[in-house]
Amino acid sequence: MTRFALTLEFDGTPFFGLQRQKDGPSVQQAVEEAAQRVLGKDVRLHSAGRTDTGVHALAMRSHIDIDKAIEPFRLMEALNAHLRPDPIAVTHCEAVPDDWHARFSCIGRAYVYRIANRRAPLTLDKDRLWQVPQDLDHGAMHRAAEALIGLHDFTTFRSVHCQSDSPVKTLDKLEVERDGDEVRIHAEARSFLHHQVRSMVGCLALVGMGRWREEQVAEALAARDRQALGLNAPPHGLYFVRAVYPEDA
Amino acid sequence: MTRFALTLEFDGTPFFGLQRQKDGPSVQQAVEEAAQRVLGKDVRLHSAGRTDTGVHALAMRSHIDIDKAIEPFRLMEALNAHLRPDPIAVTHCEAVPDDWHARFSCIGRAYVYRIANRRAPLTLDKDRLWQVPQDLDHGAMHRAAEALIGLHDFTTFRSVHCQSDSPVKTLDKLEVERDGDEVRIHAEARSFLHHQVRSMVGCLALVGMGRWREEQVAEALAARDRQALGLNAPPHGLYFVRAVYPEDA
């Protein structure tokens, strides 16, 4: 048995998220079916993170176990051939030790959330960014974000469907930058609660629009109450960008 | 009568080019029909450049004449509302003097051509870049491009359908840069021949792949013969990025 680490890039638009779902197509199902066609037997995909319907990935890390001799490059090419026309690509593939686990060995996750801050409808970037027509004060958003950094009870920013044992997490980074009419929010942590990034982005956007004072983000956090959430940002602006492992350090 | 200059952004994928065509949808037809619905009468759109099927625009400049009092901002909003769901957006609108002409006043055009230099299929960038799996030597491409800069007879790089009076044009800029696995070619001139950018990019790509020596680009130019063209790059990597007018200087 050889364990192969895969790096996956995907357009989340047509999928009901990364994980297998009873009610619709998932990235996991597509990759497992491609692997089944390549290898002639069932394969289980394990991944660093979960993503919701419509959320994208630039470099999700996953693994599969295979009891057949195959070169990583050939495996990657075969998976990509069988994944067509689904918008999923294996961009890297390598053999890893048996005790390396895409999810359990992962010590850091990074996301970026992209906002198109303009009035005109999106064309080339449709389904790739959240469009916010009101002028966003990204400086105020960046300052408000600082209140969320560190060890906190993130109950306010947690979906009712979250399966995490605890709402207490350490947020390592939450930064807001502007590049022309695009506002980007960068978030990093060891792990995130379900909907946490989108919920934090939604509240920061309210600050950017001037509908919330900067301090209201800290107040929402302190409330530890989902009802204190101002807004959950839509999924299509969110990208999983990086999974970090001990060997990367 | 008031002349309005429009800046258009569009995804060229579903259109048979910018110009009205007998056999399929065009950007011009879509904008003219939106204007007809806004204004209740026929309107003619004039544009700085022509683009082929599948070619995109980040900032095409166009104009329309309207004999009705309307604020530029309101016109832009109304056009965008009526353009939905077509992937065309008016990103800027302003009243201009009657003698300003989107095509005839234009003294410079800029394009960028985007190549995804990777083996893995494209997902998020499908229909946005030309995928070239072989490693491209962008330094060799950049050096080979220098032979095309300046005043030349570009017959080799001209479509048989080109309507220009002369194949002699001055190419002001042709630069190749790499950003990770993306290779971008920037082209600027007062005007271009039909298919000129795609034809130049195709030959530069052959150099990048090592299938052409750098000098073959100069040789193809000197041949002044369409048969000497190595490759016409596909349309979906090409973007019209900027039109320049005397008042911009």
Side-chain angles (χ1 to χ4, degrees):
Chain A
M1 191 281 291
T2 306
R3 179 159 292 182
F4 290 92
L6 308 176
T7 302
L8 301 179
E9 176 190 281
F10 58 82
D11 168 9
T13 311
F15 301 107
F16 282 48
L18 174 52
Q19 254 123 328
R20 230 176 224 282
Q21 303 288 338
K22 279 189 294 276
D23 47 353
S26 63
V27 174
Q28 182 182 354
Q29 181 186 348
V31 176
E32 289 176 351
E33 287 179 1
Q36 207 281 337
R37 288 194 291 273
V38 171
L39 303 160
K41 53 171 64 182
D42 288 345
V43 169
R44 173 82 189 278
L45 184 82
H46 298 266
S47 299
R50 296 165 168 238
T51 62
D52 290 319
T53 301
V55 172
H56 315 296
L58 300 180
M60 176 59 70
R61 295 297 296 280
S62 306
H63 80 254
I64 53 177
D65 291 332
I66 297 178
D67 57 2
K68 181 176 164 182
I70 184 166
E71 286 295 312
F73 180 78
R74 280 219 37 239
L75 175 60
M76 178 170 70
E77 296 274 291
L79 288 174
N80 281 332
H82 285 278
L83 279 165
R84 291 177 193 270
D86 280 329
I88 304 171
V90 182
T91 60
H92 187 77
C93 176
E94 64 182 318
V96 291
D98 292 0
D99 62 353
W100 187 93
H101 195 287
R103 179 175 170 204
F104 298 118
S105 303
C106 180
I107 56 169
R109 277 100 175 160
Y111 287 89
V112 64
Y113 195 98
R114 301 176 63 191
I115 300 175
N117 191 202
R118 64 182 230 177
R119 289 198 64 82
L122 299 183
T123 66
L124 290 153
D125 288 326
K126 186 176 176 298
D127 293 330
R128 300 287 179 266
L129 291 88
W130 177 29
Q131 187 192 0
V132 175
Q134 304 95 320
D135 277 343
L136 290 175
D137 180 345
H138 60 282
M141 294 169 69
H142 184 76
R143 288 189 299 274
E146 287 175 22
L148 301 175
I149 296 169
L151 180 73
H152 298 290
D153 178 333
F154 284 98
T155 296
T156 303
F157 302 93
R158 178 190 200 184
S159 156
V160 292
H161 302 295
C162 183
Q163 292 170 17
S164 179
D165 289 335
S166 162
V168 177
K169 296 282 179 188
T170 299
L171 180 64
D172 296 317
K173 179 178 177 175
L174 190 63
E175 293 183 358
V176 183
E177 61 167 4
R178 176 182 284 277
D179 177 10
D181 66 7
E182 181 171 336
V183 172
R184 280 189 283 265
I185 296 112
H186 301 273
E188 293 180 18
R190 183 177 181 99
S191 62
F192 288 92
L193 299 168
H194 189 219
H195 281 190
Q196 186 182 346
V197 179
R198 289 168 54 194
S199 295
M200 295 190 301
V201 167
C203 293
L204 293 179
L206 290 177
V207 171
M209 296 171 193
R211 288 169 53 188
W212 268 25
R213 287 171 289 106
E214 291 177 29
E215 302 74 38
Q216 278 180 272
V217 172
E219 291 164 15
L221 175 69
R224 285 178 287 174
D225 177 359
R226 185 69 178 166
Q227 300 302 318
L229 182 73
L231 183 65
N232 198 32
H236 59 275
L238 185 60
Y239 295 72
F240 185 96
V241 291
R242 191 168 57 253
V244 182
Y245 296 89
E247 65 269 23
D248 301 328
Chain B
M1 193 281 289
T2 306
R3 180 158 290 182
F4 290 91
L6 308 176
T7 303
L8 301 180
E9 175 190 284
F10 58 83
D11 168 10
T13 310
F15 300 108
F16 282 47
L18 175 52
Q19 255 126 322
R20 230 177 224 282
Q21 303 287 339
K22 278 190 291 278
D23 47 353
S26 63
V27 174
Q28 182 182 354
Q29 180 185 347
V31 176
E32 289 176 351
E33 288 179 0
Q36 207 280 336
R37 288 194 291 273
V38 171
L39 303 160
K41 53 171 62 182
D42 287 347
V43 170
R44 174 82 188 280
L45 184 82
H46 298 266
S47 299
R50 296 164 169 242
T51 61
D52 289 320
T53 301
V55 173
H56 315 294
L58 300 181
M60 176 59 70
R61 294 297 295 280
S62 306
H63 80 254
I64 53 176
D65 291 333
I66 297 177
D67 56 3
K68 180 177 165 183
I70 184 166
E71 287 295 312
F73 180 78
R74 279 217 40 235
L75 175 61
M76 177 170 72
E77 296 274 292
L79 287 173
N80 281 333
H82 285 278
L83 280 165
R84 292 177 191 268
D86 281 330
I88 304 172
V90 182
T91 59
H92 188 75
C93 176
E94 63 182 319
V96 291
D98 292 0
D99 62 351
W100 186 93
H101 194 288
R103 179 175 170 203
F104 298 118
S105 304
C106 181
I107 56 170
R109 276 101 175 158
Y111 287 89
V112 64
Y113 195 98
R114 301 175 63 190
I115 299 175
N117 190 204
R118 63 182 233 178
R119 289 198 64 82
L122 299 183
T123 66
L124 290 153
D125 288 327
K126 186 174 177 300
D127 294 328
R128 300 287 179 268
L129 292 89
W130 177 28
Q131 187 192 0
V132 175
Q134 304 96 319
D135 277 344
L136 290 175
D137 180 345
H138 61 282
M141 294 169 68
H142 184 77
R143 288 189 298 275
E146 286 175 24
L148 301 176
I149 296 170
L151 180 73
H152 299 290
D153 179 332
F154 284 97
T155 296
T156 303
F157 302 93
R158 178 190 201 186
S159 156
V160 293
H161 302 294
C162 184
Q163 293 169 17
S164 179
D165 290 335
S166 162
V168 177
K169 295 282 179 188
T170 299
L171 181 64
D172 297 316
K173 179 178 178 176
L174 190 63
E175 294 182 358
V176 182
E177 62 166 3
R178 177 181 284 275
D179 177 11
D181 65 7
E182 180 170 337
V183 173
R184 280 188 284 263
I185 297 111
H186 301 273
E188 293 180 18
R190 184 177 179 97
S191 62
F192 289 93
L193 299 168
H194 190 218
H195 280 190
Q196 186 181 346
V197 179
R198 289 167 53 191
S199 294
M200 296 190 301
V201 167
C203 293
L204 293 180
L206 290 176
V207 171
M209 295 171 194
R211 289 168 54 188
W212 269 25
R213 288 171 290 104
E214 291 177 30
E215 303 74 37
Q216 277 181 270
V217 172
E219 291 164 18
L221 176 69
R224 285 178 287 172
D225 178 357
R226 185 69 178 165
Q227 301 301 315
L229 181 73
L231 183 64
N232 198 33
H236 60 273
L238 184 59
Y239 296 72
F240 184 97
V241 291
R242 192 170 55 254
V244 182
Y245 295 89
E247 67 270 21
D248 300 331

